[in-house]
Amino acid sequence: MDDNEFMAVAIEEARLGLVEGGIPIGAVLVADGAVLGRGHNRRVQMGSAIRHGETDALEHAGRHPASVYSRATMYTTLSPCDMCTGAILLYGIPRVVMGENATFRGGEDYLRSRGVEVINLDSSECKELMRDFIATRPELWNEDIGE
């Protein structure tokens, strides 16, 4: 699979989160061409303060040695927030592929400054998901980003 195919999996997760009544952000952790974990923002569904798409994917991936994370890519439908940026750095994930950063720009510059390769697919599908959500649920979006 290539970056677009793995991003399609992350988009599936984002859509699942929306159907569940949550925020449509999905993520997939991949190493050596295999999905280790996939997830979506579950803050609403779980009453969680920290269950963003990336942290949910990490949770579903389970424990792995550092050597696995050092070959992994985190696919996320949206530019990673500061918390998710920290998790990516903590586990030494060297590559992040995001769907878009037009609706929210997170810690991607910091990731780059720490040597992480960051790719923006500039996906119209990801932008549409977030723009529609932010327009219909601005209060929930603002809560998610700490505003």
Side-chain angles (χ1 to χ4, degrees):
M1 292 176 68
D2 67 11
D3 287 345
N4 288 311
E5 291 170 310
F6 285 121
M7 184 56 66
V9 176
I11 292 170
E12 286 175 19
E13 285 291 326
R15 291 191 182 286
L16 179 57
L18 185 62
V19 167
E20 292 173 352
I23 298 165
I25 303 169
V28 181
L29 183 66
V30 174
D32 304 322
V35 172
L36 300 178
R38 51 191 289 170
H40 52 274
N41 186 306
R42 295 178 198 253
R43 289 186 69 250
V44 172
Q45 300 92 312
M46 297 179 76
S48 171
I50 62 168
R51 213 56 176 268
H52 283 191
E54 298 90 335
T55 56
D56 195 48
L58 283 165
E59 180 67 19
H60 284 108
R63 292 175 57 196
H64 293 279
S67 61
V68 173
Y69 294 113
S70 71
R71 327 187 278 277
T73 298
M74 178 66 78
Y75 292 86
T76 177
T77 57
L78 186 64
S79 179
C81 73
D82 289 341
M83 177 178 66
C84 296
T85 292
I88 289 162
L89 292 172
L90 176 68
Y91 288 101
I93 298 167
R95 186 167 183 264
V96 174
V97 177
M98 64 180 147
E100 62 104 353
N101 68 354
T103 59
F104 176 80
R105 187 170 175 96
E108 61 200 72
D109 290 335
Y110 185 57
L111 288 168
R112 285 187 188 98
S113 78
R114 296 284 302 270
V116 175
E117 178 186 9
V118 179
I119 297 167
N120 183 358
L121 297 180
D122 197 31
S123 163
S124 58
E125 187 174 6
C126 291
K127 286 187 237 181
E128 182 181 338
L129 263 172
M130 287 310 301
R131 285 186 179 135
D132 290 351
F133 178 78
I134 292 167
T136 58
R137 300 293 309 271
E139 75 292 343
L140 191 53
W141 172 242
N142 287 334
E143 175 190 322
D144 195 63
I145 59 173
E147 290 184 6

